[in-house]
Amino acid sequence: MSHPNRAFPVLSARDKLLPFYLLGIGLHHEQEHIYRDPGIQDYQWIQCRSGGGKLKLSETEHIVKQGMGMLLFPGQKHEYYALSGSWEVDWIIFDGSGSAGLFETVGIVDTCVFTLASPEYLLSGMKELLQAALTPREQTLSNYACSAILYTLLTEIIQRISVEGSDTVGQQYERLKPVLDYIDQHYAEEISLQTLAGLMCVTPEYFCHLFKKTTGIRPISYVNQVRVNKSKELLLDNVQRGMQDIAHQVGFESASYYGAIFKKLERITPGAFRRTYQKS
């Protein structure tokens, strides 16, 4: 008899080729004392619903209370238990070739405890995932449905987590929004670091640090990406238009520099791109 708040999908070898796959999920779980000397084989997300607990790692200890969650990485020794009384949590166990890379996009490479923005939103995603996991396989390809929902849930989690009071990824991008909007509107013009930093009322040095921390690339690299992307439509709209004209229209000083940046980013020259995707 299936449990209404818990599911452990049966996975085939083909299911385990998916970039993200669900191994187990439990909602409204009364958390018991867990000690794993060798760690776990997969990833586990545990979100506190009520009460509180403690996570002990090899060298650190963390309190986990309502509005917080912990992400456990494979192969890392850990122990967690309720501080006192009841500790109710929701959890998912998952794996897949895309998991490590997804977390690396925001610099998460180890087991950690996070504060959550809008934890109730994540719980609604976990309810949807549980419902998909409980759907009989004969009615639908449930593991594929779970994979899609799981990926959406994980991306929502990484946008809403923060460590020690720092901004969440979503908040970091929201802070950069005036800069990103400015670049999108003025990419064809000369754009200086001083101008971009001024939009955030910070120094150019701090702006560069903040931008790279949030996006993973330097501001000038982002500007070049925007310019190259804008140039693609120009390349295809009029096949007679010269590279010098296109380069100037999107903000590059010369056709040679434009061509070099385009090839670096796209691994193809502008001319080859035009020939490959030319509109009929």
Side-chain angles (χ1 to χ4, degrees), residues 75-92:
Q76 296 182 355
K77 177 180 177 180
H78 60 264
E79 178 183 11
Y80 53 91
Y81 51 85
L83 288 173
S84 63
S86 173
W87 185 22
E88 189 178 26
V89 303
D90 304 286
W91 53 265
I92 54 174

Side-chain angles (χ1 to χ4, degrees), residues 16-229:
K16 291 185 178 182
L17 295 176
L18 292 166
F20 303 93
Y21 54 84
L22 180 70
L23 290 160
I25 179 170
L27 304 186
H28 296 282
H29 179 75
E30 187 73 26
Q31 185 59 63
E32 64 274 32
H33 189 146
I34 296 293
Y35 176 79
R36 300 186 180 108
D37 186 57
I40 55 175
Q41 293 183 338
D42 311 290
Y43 295 86
Q44 186 170 13
W45 169 255
I46 303 173
Q47 186 167 326
C48 179
R49 183 181 284 266
S50 65
K54 177 180 286 189
L55 170 67
K56 299 178 70 174
L57 303 174
S58 298
E59 298 180 355
T60 59
E61 298 182 357
H62 306 269
I63 301 299
V64 185
K65 52 189 178 181
Q66 189 173 15
M68 300 178 71
M70 53 185 180
L71 178 63
L72 306 179
F73 270 60
Q76 296 182 355
K77 177 180 177 180
H78 60 264
E79 178 183 11
Y80 53 91
Y81 51 85
L83 288 173
S84 63
S86 173
W87 185 22
E88 189 178 26
V89 303
D90 304 286
W91 53 265
I92 54 174
I93 303 173
F94 60 96
D95 208 340
S97 59
S99 299
L102 178 63
F103 297 128
E104 285 176 6
T105 65
V106 290
I108 302 172
V109 295
D110 217 341
T111 294
C112 197
V113 170
F114 303 97
T115 300
L116 305 172
S118 305
E120 66 285 349
Y121 184 88
L122 299 179
L123 291 179
S124 67
M126 294 178 77
K127 290 177 183 177
E128 182 184 4
L129 184 57
L130 175 64
Q131 183 177 3
L134 290 173
T135 301
R137 288 183 64 85
E138 60 268 25
Q139 294 183 18
T140 181
L141 292 170
S142 59
N143 287 337
Y144 285 83
C146 286
S147 178
I149 297 169
L150 175 61
Y151 173 68
T152 299
L153 177 61
L154 293 177
T155 58
E156 293 291 347
I157 288 174
I158 65 176
Q159 290 179 69
R160 287 173 165 77
I161 56 179
S162 61
V163 181
E164 297 179 352
S166 63
D167 288 343
T168 66
V169 171
Q171 290 168 335
Q172 290 172 12
Y173 271 97
E174 186 63 28
R175 190 178 179 191
L176 283 181
K177 189 175 186 302
V179 172
L180 302 180
D181 288 345
Y182 181 89
I183 293 171
D184 191 61
Q185 296 166 12
H186 298 273
Y187 63 89
E189 306 167 16
E190 182 179 350
I191 298 177
S192 68
L193 285 177
Q194 287 77 8
T195 298
L196 298 180
L199 294 171
M200 298 182 64
C201 301
V202 297
T203 65
E205 293 75 17
Y206 182 72
F207 167 72
C208 287
H209 167 75
L210 180 64
F211 194 96
K212 187 168 184 180
K213 178 182 177 182
T214 303
T215 66
I217 61 174
R218 296 178 301 147
I220 187 59
S221 297
Y222 179 82
V223 172
N224 283 338
Q225 285 188 353
V226 171
R227 287 171 170 165
V228 164
N229 284 348

